[in-house]
């Protein structure tokens, strides 16, 4: 017999049986029995807002899979572009499909000269690169008017390729501008991550040759950040996408959501925290301060992971490889001590607070020379694949516009008092 629940409206005595499908009960069924009574669920703590076949996450068991493939296997064997294809198409590409996909993305890495010269260079000299990225992604919608044809398969595919291809170019351009360096055009003979490093760091050499260990590490970090089901930015993408806005506008909204310190800004906060702690001796006192309510242990805790974030475990190994090239990040020892103490402290274990993806990623980025302001930008580059996969899925589901209800707690109706009489 199928699983179900039965609810009873105690005001009327009426009952209704609702089936449990895929671990959820349909709120529309509930509303049949109790129209006008809403689920009160701020921050969507208990609400599944959609059905999705992209990413599976079991936060209790620490499992993350893209389209069924364990994140560990993808990080070990795959490339970011292959994973982006998987997220968007549902299957890993065959060799010819991969070659076509890689070629198409590579051929779309250039941005319109006006985006750089007139738009990006119009920012104030100390503009935050993430603020520049959010705006530049939105501005792309004004360059590609065909993007409004969201139900045209050719147009949709073209915008997806453009967005994935141009994100690293915009990201590097934002960085170069913020440090007063000239823009570096994409080098289409390099692969995705290596080309990004070239656009970031190239100075006067004819051709930038990134260290293969660093390029590989960055590609692995891109894989780990490519999707994470219904997180804050993906939800923003889906909500804006549900109004049938073009994908650049929806992606800009997702980028904006990622900007916040509770989401994509967390690894920047981790480095600030480690820098403030300054030495291993100060770790116990810092932990006591967190327990007493003086701020949070950045890079710890997660809305859905109630065990070790599987991405954090992979990142820890990647960090070791990166440090063989860059030298150890001096903040690493503080981070390891923090983790050790927190994982044996009742405050953290009872609340199931473990390191998340951001605890170690910032250490890698910093060792590779990225300024702190670039950290959320580095997150946005690969997450674009996930955002677009969800956007596409949403449109294919013929979904309604996102429009939650509220429980009104304001004043009752009252009469307007003219200004002079108040
Ligand atoms: N340090 C200390 N205490 C914490 C922390 C932390 N990092 N995170 C949660 N808690 C405590 C919190 O004080 C609360 O305790 P109590 O029940 O006594 O009031 C309890 O744990 C539950 O916290 P919550 O705020 O209800 O949990 P949440 O699911 O709403 O928040 C979170 C999740 C990620 C926003 C939060 O854990 C946090 O602020 N972590 C630090 C920031 C961070 O690392 N963010 C990156 C998230 S992973 C990357 C991404 O997906 O974008």
């Amino acid at each position: 017999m199928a699983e179900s629940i039965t609810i009873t409206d105690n005001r009327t005595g009426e009952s209704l049986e609702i089936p449990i499908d895929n671990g959820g009960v349909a709120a529309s069924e509930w509303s049949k029995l109790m129209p006008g009574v809403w689920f009160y669920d701020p921050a969507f703590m208990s609400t599944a807002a959609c059905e999705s076949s992209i990413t599976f996450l079991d936060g209790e068991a620490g499992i993350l899979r893209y389209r069924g493939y364990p994140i560990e296997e993808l990080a070990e064997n795959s490339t970011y572009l292959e994973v982006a294809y998987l997220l968007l198409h549902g299957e890993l590409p065959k060799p010819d499909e991969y070659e076509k996909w890689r070629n198409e993305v590579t051929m779309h890495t250039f941005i319109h000269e006006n985006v750089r010269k007139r738009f990006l260079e119009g920012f104030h000299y100390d503009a935050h690169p993430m603020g520049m990225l959010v705006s530049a992604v939105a501005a792309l919608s004004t360059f590609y008017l065909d993007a409004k044809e969201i139900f045209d398969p050719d147009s949709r595919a073209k915008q997806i390729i453009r967005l994935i291809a141009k994100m690293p170019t915009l990201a590097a351009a934002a960085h170069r501008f913020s440090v007063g360096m000239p823009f570096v055009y994409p080098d289409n003979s390099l692969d995705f991550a290596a080309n990004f490093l070239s656009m970031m760091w190239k100075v006067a050499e004819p051709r930038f040759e990134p260290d293969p260990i660093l390029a590989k590490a960055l590609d692995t970090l891109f894989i780990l950040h490519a999707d994470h089901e219904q997180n804050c930015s993906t939800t923003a993408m889906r909500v804006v996408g549900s109004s049938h806005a073009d994908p650049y506008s929806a992606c800009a909204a997702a980028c904006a959501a990622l900007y916040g310190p509770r989401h994509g800004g967390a690894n920047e906060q981790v480095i600030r925290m480690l820098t403030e702690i300054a030495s291993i001796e100060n770790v116990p006192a810092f932990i006591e301060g967190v327990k007493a309510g003086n701020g949070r242990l950045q890079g710890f805790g997660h809305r859905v992971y109630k065990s070790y974030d599987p991405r954090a475990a992979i990142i820890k190994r990647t960090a070791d490889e990166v440090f063989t090239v860059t030298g150890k990040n001096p903040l690493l020892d503080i981070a390891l001590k923090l983790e050790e103490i927190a994982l044996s402290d009742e405050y953290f274990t009872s609340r199931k607070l473990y390191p998340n993806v951001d605890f170690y990623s910032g250490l890698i980025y910093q060792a590779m020379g990225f300024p702190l302001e670039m950290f959320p930008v580095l997150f946005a580059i690969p997450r674009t694949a996930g955002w677009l996969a969800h956007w596409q899925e949403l449109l294919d589901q013929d979904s309604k516009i996102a429009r939650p209800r509220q429980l009104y707690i304001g004043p009752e109706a009252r009469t307007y008092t003219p200004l002079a009489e108040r």
Side-chain angles (χ1 to χ4, degrees):
M1 199 184 106
E3 292 185 327
S4 67
I5 59 161
T6 299
I7 52 167
T8 303
D9 185 342
N10 291 331
R11 299 168 303 179
T12 60
E14 279 181 58
S15 289
L16 181 74
E17 186 179 350
I18 309 178
I20 301 176
D21 281 331
N22 295 320
V25 288
S28 55
E29 289 296 306
W30 177 287
S31 297
K32 282 183 193 162
L33 182 67
M34 291 189 279
V37 176
W38 310 115
F39 289 103
Y40 177 56
D41 188 20
F44 314 122
M45 302 276 287
S46 312
T47 296
C50 64
E51 289 183 317
S52 181
S53 56
I54 299 169
T55 288
F56 174 80
L57 206 171
D58 181 339
E60 293 294 331
I63 294 173
L64 174 63
R65 298 184 201 125
Y66 297 160
R67 301 281 190 186
Y69 293 101
I71 191 68
E72 292 81 2
E73 287 187 30
L74 292 170
E76 181 72 27
N77 303 306
S78 201
T79 63
Y80 167 68
L81 277 190
E82 204 186 354
V83 166
Y85 184 99
L86 171 70
L87 290 169
L88 284 153
H89 295 88
E91 297 295 336
L92 285 167
K94 296 188 175 68
D96 57 328
E97 291 168 334
Y98 182 61
E99 208 31 53
K100 182 167 180 278
W101 168 248
R102 204 184 57 78
N103 191 48
E104 279 175 337
V105 171
T106 305
M107 292 306 149
H108 284 85
T109 49
F110 278 67
I111 50 175
H112 194 290
E113 278 295 280
N114 281 352
V115 176
R116 178 178 71 85
K117 282 197 182 142
R118 299 193 183 271
F119 189 77
L120 290 176
E121 292 188 359
F123 280 98
H124 200 50
Y125 73 95
D126 60 353
H128 194 293
M130 189 64 174
M132 293 173 75
L133 185 73
V134 170
S135 324
V137 172
L140 287 187
S141 81
T142 67
F143 286 81
Y144 304 113
L145 298 179
D146 56 335
K148 303 220 177 299
E149 305 302 327
I150 56 173
F151 290 107
D152 176 78
D154 292 340
S155 168
R156 204 191 282 183
K158 199 188 275 177
Q159 314 317 324
I160 286 173
I161 286 168
R162 281 178 175 151
L163 265 162
I164 288 178
K166 293 182 200 310
M167 283 301 268
T169 316
L170 291 175
H175 165 72
R176 303 285 292 202
F177 177 77
S178 69
V179 291
M181 296 281 286
F183 176 71
V184 176
Y185 286 95
D187 178 346
N188 287 347
S189 68
L190 293 171
D191 69 21
F192 192 83
N195 175 43
F196 175 59
L197 290 174
S198 164
M199 292 188 289
M200 281 292 298
W201 310 129
K202 187 171 182 293
V203 187
E205 61 276 49
R207 188 162 186 275
F208 182 85
E209 294 285 352
D211 186 291
I213 294 182
L214 299 187
K216 174 80 184 77
L218 189 63
D219 200 66
T220 305
L221 284 160
F222 284 172
I223 292 173
L224 300 180
H225 286 88
D227 193 46
H228 211 231
E229 50 117 305
Q230 310 308 318
N231 53 83
C232 180
S233 56
T234 301
T235 301
M237 181 86 189
R238 279 189 175 259
V239 168
V240 177
S242 80
S243 76
H244 290 176
D246 68 82
Y248 301 100
S249 303
C251 242
C255 274
L258 192 66
Y259 200 170
R262 284 171 158 187
H263 191 9
N267 49 11
E268 179 177 343
Q269 298 307 318
V270 171
I271 298 296
R272 293 193 193 284
M273 172 189 74
L274 296 174
T275 309
E276 190 189 311
I277 296 173
S279 88
I280 294 189
E281 295 74 57
N282 298 335
V283 169
F286 181 82
I287 294 267
E288 287 312 311
V290 168
K291 286 161 63 177
N294 303 330
R296 292 198 162 190
L297 183 47
Q298 297 299 327
F300 256 68
H302 200 278
R303 172 60 57 79
V304 285
Y305 286 120
K306 300 305 168 196
S307 65
Y308 212 100
D309 182 336
R311 301 168 300 172
I314 300 167
I315 285 189
K316 224 171 150 179
R317 285 197 297 278
T318 307
D320 291 336
E321 290 163 21
V322 167
F323 296 156
T324 61
V325 179
T326 62
K328 193 172 81 176
N329 187 324
L331 298 176
L332 176 68
D333 291 335
I334 302 175
L336 289 170
K337 192 70 187 169
L338 266 180
E339 180 183 338
E340 182 196 316
I341 296 187
L343 293 185
S344 57
D345 189 306
E346 199 269 339
Y347 175 93
F348 295 94
T349 51
S350 65
R351 289 171 177 77
K352 300 189 174 174
L353 300 171
Y354 294 88
N356 60 48
V357 69
D358 289 321
F359 194 64
Y360 289 104
S361 63
L363 291 173
I364 300 183
Y365 293 146
Q366 195 183 42
M368 288 174 78
F370 290 105
L372 295 193
E373 293 72 26
M374 280 298 284
F375 290 8
V377 175
L378 290 163
F379 195 155
I381 293 171
R383 185 54 61 87
T384 302
W387 290 333
L388 289 166
H390 285 272
W391 171 74
Q392 191 176 240
E393 183 177 72
L394 168 102
L395 295 180
D396 288 343
Q397 286 169 341
D398 193 22
S399 59
K400 289 188 179 299
I401 188 166
R403 205 308 184 183
R405 298 289 182 148
Q406 63 168 14
L407 305 183
Y408 178 71
I409 56 167
E412 295 295 326
R414 44 185 173 163
T415 309
Y416 178 80
T417 314
L419 185 61
E421 293 171 29
R422 270 176 248 155

